[in-house]
């Protein structure tokens, strides 16, 4: 007898939805990537140029050197990484203290989060004036401090949620077994909180990497970050599409590397993966 | 090896007192079970001994040394938790060896101790697995192994069997008892399960609302409960409480059950209370037997009662009777019961039954 194989259903709707979504996300990205290697004449050509005949790297050169994009990139890396490390380590310790010792009673933990309700514009001028006063204006240290403080509420809150769902008995077992508080934190709580720490670090890093407003006000020629470089392309003598696109591609690279590196942890961290044995 | 002495212990959470003035002396090598209903403060008491909770007042001494302000790691006690609390990111081997490593023992000695403990508990095949890769019963063994390997002077158990199914629980109960026989270290064991308490304990400490209601050997508490609370907590099926009054008639002393028969009290079991006083008679199923012979046995009262319903368990059958306004349960041989609706003569053993003052709920 002929075997009765049920035809496999093709999930048409799913494919269409995913294709539309990809087109929506990737098409502009493709356009930016292509624009970054197009000769200037092709930017707004009609009909549009889908792939340039003579790809060029001049926009990259101009963006990185003439417009000091490379300096901005280096500044951004230094500032974002330092602020991330500081924010996440201080945030993790603070969150641990809030979650385990109920530090500050019921209200301190909420107060920390409430700091995020404050619009940056409300504090930027006082900050600017204070920075000028103490000489932190347009310095790396100044930016690192500002970003650390600015991102701390979210790192604290993420790690607080993480520690709170982690059973206390694990650390208590470690304490009775022979650890000090620090020992229990280091050898039991921290390894189990690693996915949460990774998630908090990614959030913090992205927040710092893309921040524009603080950087605009607090930096000028020395500690300026990558996002602020874009001003130069879009304000003066018309738009420098090629240079802007080139720098956009450059600024994407770290995010992509980061995403690939931590993808696995990130999912676990965001879903607050249960750590029970 | 160490004894534990607790004096006037208090533990407050805000204005709530979880432990309210506990005095307890636990001799070296004894298996003490803290038992009581949920929320009575057993875990809190155990955790203050471990040093996981700061105490609000009083004193705890382990092995003659006051440990009030000592860190948990310096108390040299081991604890087994209800949820096992195995470190999820470490293998079974590292879980068991963790405490030794934290105390900077040389690795070869750690290895030999861990292997010995694993052999004793029959978990040698699991050593390289993670906690999530083994079953509940195996996790409990690992948790016990982690405690045993340290050779502490005191073991603390907080409801270690309550997450296991019934069969495994019976098995592990036996193993814990065997462990105590083999190493005879002082053990304090918390449970809300009276069977666990009765079977494991050298001594039961029965708690209620943060205080000790009664302490003593399991059978002493069972046979001579100090209060109706203790009497009702220990024993399954539960003790039946019958309310009545003391009545003296023609020299004899009787308990007149409310709306029920009068039961003459035997010599030597007559409490020193005023005539007419409200009392409670506590009767366990095994205090009632089917009457044989023409008259009640000495110390017993004969009465006729109607069987309401039967609950056979296989080896025994529990028969429920109506007596006055209350129901009482009796324990019979499996085939010697009768039928529901039938009236049968019973002998109630009043020299074993308990009596309480209705006003104070204390034994008389
Ligand atoms: N950290 C705490 N904060 C406030 N109340 C607590 C805390 N821990 C325990 N309690 C209260 O103390 C009482 C005793 O708790 P516990 O010792 O855990 O009881 P159990 O006898 O069931 O082990 C309970 O009423 C409980 O709600
Ligand atoms: Mg408890």
């Amino acid at each position: 007898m002929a075997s009765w194989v049920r035809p496999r259903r093709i999930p048409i709707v799913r494919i269409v939805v995913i294709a539309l979504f990809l087109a929506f996300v990737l098409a502009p990205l493709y356009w930016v990537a292509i624009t970054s290697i197009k000769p200037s004449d092709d930017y707004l050509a009609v009909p549009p140029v889908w792939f340039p005949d003579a790809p060029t790297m001049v926009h990259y050169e101009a963006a990185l050197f003439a417009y000091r994009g490379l300096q901005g990139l280096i500044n951004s890396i230094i500032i974002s990484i330092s602020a991330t490390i500081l924010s996440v380590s201080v945030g993790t310790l603070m969150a641990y203290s809030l979650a385990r010792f109920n530090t500050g009673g019921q209200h301190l933990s909420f107060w920390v989060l409430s700091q995020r309700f404050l619009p940056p514009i409300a504090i930027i001028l006082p900050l600017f004036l204070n920075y000028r006063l103490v000489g932190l204006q347009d310095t790396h240290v100044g930016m690192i401090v500002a970003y650390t403080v600015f991102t701390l509420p979210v790192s604290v809150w993420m790690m607080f949620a993480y520690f709170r769902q982690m059973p206390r008995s694990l650390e208590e077992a470690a304490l009775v077994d022979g650890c000090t508080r620090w020992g229990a934190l280091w050898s039991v709580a921290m390894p189990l909180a690693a996915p949460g720490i990774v998630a908090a670090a990614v959030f913090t890093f992205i927040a710092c990497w893309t921040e524009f407003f603080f950087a605009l006000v607090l930096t000028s020629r020395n500690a300026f970050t990558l996002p602020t470089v874009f001003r130069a392309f879009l304000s003066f003598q018309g738009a420098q599409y090629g240079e802007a696109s080139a720098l956009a591609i450059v600024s994407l690279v770290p995010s992509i590397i980061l995403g690939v590196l931590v993808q696995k942890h990130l999912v676990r961290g965001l879903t607050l993966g249960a750590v029970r044995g | 090896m160490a004894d534990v002495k607790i004096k006037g212990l208090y533990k407050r959470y805000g204005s709530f007192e979880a432990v309210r003035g506990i005095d307890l002396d636990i001799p070296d090598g004894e298996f003490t079970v803290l038992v009581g209903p949920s929320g009575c403060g057993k875990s809190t008491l155990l955790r203050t001994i471990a040093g996981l909770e700061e105490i609000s007042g009083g004193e705890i001494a382990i092995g003659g040394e006051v440990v009030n302000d000592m860190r948990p790691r310096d108390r040299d006690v081991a604890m087994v938790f209800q949820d096992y609390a195995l470190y999820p990111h470490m293998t079974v081997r590292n879980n068991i060896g963790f405490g030794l490593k934290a105390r900077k023992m040389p690795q070869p000695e750690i290895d030999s101790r861990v292997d010995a403990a694993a052999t004793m508990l029959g978990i040698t095949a699991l050593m390289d697995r993670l906690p999530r890769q083994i079953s509940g019963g195996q996790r409990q063994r690992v948790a016990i192994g982690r405690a045993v390997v340290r050779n502490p002077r005191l073991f603390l158990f907080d409801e270690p069997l309550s997450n296991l199914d019934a069969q495994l629980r019976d098995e592990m109960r036996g193993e814990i008892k065997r462990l105590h026989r083999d190493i005879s270290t002082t053990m304090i064991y918390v449970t809300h399960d009276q069977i666990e308490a009765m079977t494991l304990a050298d001594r039961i400490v029965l708690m209620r609302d943060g205080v000790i209601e009664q302490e003593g050997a399991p059978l002493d508490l069972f046979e001579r409960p100090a209060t109706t609370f203790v009497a009702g907590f220990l024993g399954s099926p539960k003790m039946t409480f019958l309310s009545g009054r003391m009545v003296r008639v023609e020299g004899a002393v009787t308990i007149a059950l409310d709306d029920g028969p009068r039961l003459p009290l035997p010599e030597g079991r007559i409490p020193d209370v005023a005539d007419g006083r409200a009392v409670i008679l506590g009767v366990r199923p095994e205090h009632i037997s089917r009457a044989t012979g023409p008259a009640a046995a000495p110390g017993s009262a004969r009465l006729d009662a109607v069987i309401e319903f039967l609950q056979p368990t296989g080896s025994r059958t529990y028969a429920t009777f109506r007596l006055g306004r209350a129901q009482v349960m009796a324990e019979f041989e499996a085939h010697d019961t009768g039928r529901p609706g039938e009236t049968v003569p019973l002998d109630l053993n009043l020299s074993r039954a308990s009596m309480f003052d209705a006003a104070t709920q204390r034994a008389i």
Side-chain angles (χ1 to χ4, degrees):
Chain A
M1 298 302 293
S3 66
W4 220 88
V5 179
R6 199 164 155 200
R8 248 181 71 177
R9 280 186 48 201
I10 302 167
I12 296 175
V13 174
R14 199 190 301 178
I15 290 176
V16 169
V17 168
I18 291 175
L20 282 176
F21 180 71
L22 279 180
F24 183 74
V25 174
L26 292 182
L29 214 52
Y30 174 78
W31 201 250
V32 169
I34 281 302
T35 303
S36 75
I37 54 170
K38 270 180 195 171
S40 313
D41 299 340
D42 289 353
Y43 290 164
L44 301 171
V46 183
V49 176
W50 289 98
F51 196 86
D53 299 327
T56 171
M57 297 304 281
V58 291
H59 305 315
Y60 282 89
E61 274 176 46
L64 289 178
F65 302 110
Y67 288 94
R68 300 185 70 201
L70 185 62
Q71 186 60 45
L73 180 72
I74 293 169
N75 288 344
S76 267
I77 289 174
I78 294 172
I79 291 167
S80 298
I81 289 182
S82 310
T84 300
I85 291 172
L86 278 174
S87 170
V88 172
S89 20
V90 174
T92 300
L93 292 178
M94 177 162 187
Y96 186 75
S97 160
L98 290 175
R100 286 297 184 253
F101 308 113
N102 198 20
T103 309
Q106 294 174 0
H107 302 296
L108 185 60
S109 52
F110 182 73
W111 178 82
V112 169
L113 185 68
S114 73
Q115 297 310 293
R116 276 304 271 145
F117 301 162
L118 203 65
I121 193 141
I123 53 166
I124 192 70
L125 274 180
L127 195 61
F128 173 75
L129 295 174
N130 278 316
Y131 265 33
R132 223 173 40 173
L133 201 65
V134 298
L136 280 175
Q137 210 234 331
D138 199 21
T139 62
H140 290 83
V141 173
M143 286 302 287
I144 291 167
V145 169
Y147 282 0
T148 302
V149 173
F150 177 68
T151 55
L152 204 49
V154 173
S155 352
V156 171
W157 199 260
M158 284 181 76
M159 293 313 298
F160 179 58
Y162 210 85
F163 282 126
R164 240 189 353 184
Q165 56 88 46
M166 201 156 94
R168 277 165 192 265
S169 57
L170 295 173
E171 290 146 64
E172 290 175 345
L175 290 179
V176 176
D177 258 356
C179 287
T180 58
R181 240 317 147 178
W182 278 104
L185 175 64
W186 189 249
S187 52
V188 175
M190 283 298 195
L192 295 173
I197 294 175
V198 170
V202 170
F203 262 63
T204 306
F205 181 83
I206 301 290
C208 297
W209 191 255
T210 56
E211 206 286 330
F212 180 67
F213 190 55
F214 276 52
L216 183 68
V217 177
L218 298 181
T219 66
S220 51
R221 297 204 46 78
N222 180 38
F224 63 94
T225 59
L226 204 50
T228 62
V229 178
F230 284 87
R231 274 178 309 160
F233 308 136
L234 301 172
S235 48
F236 304 120
Q237 337 95 356
Q240 314 279 344
Y241 292 117
E243 283 74 6
S245 301
L247 208 59
I249 296 297
V250 168
S251 75
L252 260 181
V253 172
S255 306
I256 292 173
I257 294 175
L258 195 65
V260 171
L261 283 182
V262 302
Q263 188 188 17
K264 251 196 317 205
H265 288 294
L266 195 56
V267 175
R268 267 187 67 201
L270 292 179
T271 52
L272 296 179
V275 292
R276 292 195 135 195
Chain B
M1 304 289 262
D3 61 344
V4 178
K5 281 191 169 40
I6 296 172
K7 279 194 215 123
L9 185 71
Y10 276 84
K11 173 65 195 178
R12 297 185 194 91
Y13 294 110
S15 60
F16 176 76
E17 293 188 327
V19 170
R20 302 184 289 143
I22 284 197
D23 294 297
L24 187 60
D25 263 8
I26 297 173
D28 185 18
E30 195 180 76
F31 198 123
T32 301
V33 174
L34 305 179
V35 68
S38 182
C40 69
K42 312 176 291 287
S43 297
T44 305
L45 176 55
L46 195 74
R47 291 163 55 82
T48 58
I49 298 171
L52 294 173
E53 303 281 352
E54 262 175 55
I55 64 179
S56 316
E59 187 179 288
I60 300 175
I62 302 175
E65 180 186 16
V66 176
V67 297
N68 286 11
D69 301 316
M70 198 183 270
R71 292 179 298 182
R73 66 184 300 235
D74 300 324
R75 298 191 181 199
D76 193 18
V77 305
M79 182 154 169
V80 177
F81 293 80
Q82 178 168 3
D83 61 0
Y84 319 129
L86 300 181
Y87 312 121
H89 57 304
M90 294 181 201
T91 60
V92 167
R93 177 182 302 283
N94 290 341
N95 261 283
I96 298 178
F98 182 82
L100 304 179
K101 199 159 185 172
R103 286 160 202 278
K104 310 259 186 309
M105 186 178 276
Q107 193 62 41
E109 198 181 340
I110 296 181
D111 290 341
S112 72
R113 281 230 219 168
V114 169
D115 287 337
T119 308
M120 176 170 137
L121 291 159
I123 49 176
T124 42
L126 309 174
M127 298 307 271
D128 296 318
R129 300 214 202 148
L130 290 173
R132 74 174 108 85
Q133 297 165 326
I134 61 180
S135 71
Q138 290 168 335
R139 284 179 205 169
Q140 191 51 268
R141 279 170 202 271
V142 176
I144 292 173
R146 187 170 69 180
V148 169
V149 78
R150 289 205 9 234
N151 193 18
R153 55 183 176 169
L154 172 65
F155 281 91
L156 306 172
F157 296 88
D158 193 354
E159 311 227 9
L161 306 185
S162 56
N163 285 350
L164 300 178
D165 62 42
Q167 194 188 339
L168 213 49
R169 191 152 47 203
D170 289 350
E171 190 186 316
M172 288 305 292
R173 207 168 60 201
E175 295 228 8
I176 290 174
K177 187 124 192 173
R178 188 176 56 114
L179 178 72
H180 182 248
R181 188 199 62 200
D182 291 349
I183 65 178
S184 57
T185 305
T186 319
M187 294 187 178
I188 306 178
Y189 185 106
V190 163
T191 179
H192 65 269
D193 177 358
Q194 53 102 11
I195 306 249
E196 250 171 58
M198 292 294 293
T199 50
L200 284 172
D202 293 329
R203 177 159 56 152
I204 290 182
V205 175
L206 204 153
M207 291 179 62
R208 177 191 194 184
D209 295 339
V211 295
I212 295 176
E213 184 88 355
Q214 190 179 3
E215 61 174 297
L219 287 178
D220 284 347
L221 263 67
F222 188 80
E223 296 288 348
R224 284 178 290 282
T227 64
T228 52
F229 181 81
V230 175
F233 192 85
L234 297 178
S236 172
K238 284 197 182 315
M239 179 180 268
T240 310
F241 296 112
L242 302 168
S243 49
R245 290 184 178 280
M246 300 296 297
V247 179
R248 279 165 212 270
V249 275
E250 297 149 20
V253 181
T254 64
I255 291 184
L257 297 180
D258 297 352
D259 293 341
R262 286 193 176 185
L263 309 174
L265 291 177
E267 285 298 323
R269 199 61 193 91
I270 297 173
D272 184 21
V273 293
D275 202 19
R277 181 120 187 143
V279 294
I280 293 169
L281 184 66
V283 183
R284 293 197 190 276
E286 61 270 25
H287 297 157
I288 298 178
S289 55
R290 213 171 162 140
T292 51
S300 293
R302 171 71 52 93
L303 38 88
D304 289 325
V306 180
I307 300 178
E308 294 240 306
F309 57 88
L310 300 169
Q311 291 168 277
T313 65
S315 55
R316 322 292 266 141
T317 293
Y318 294 106
T320 302
F321 296 91
R322 180 150 292 286
L323 200 62
R325 266 183 266 164
Q327 289 185 327
V328 293
M329 194 182 268
E331 186 185 330
F332 289 158
E333 297 290 335
H335 297 287
D336 185 24
T337 52
R339 292 171 187 289
E342 208 175 300
T343 304
V344 291
L346 301 176
D347 279 354
L348 200 166
N349 189 338
L350 287 169
S351 45
R352 284 184 69 200
S354 306
M355 267 178 281
F356 305 92
D357 186 317
T360 63
Q361 303 280 310
R362 302 198 70 83
I364 47 180

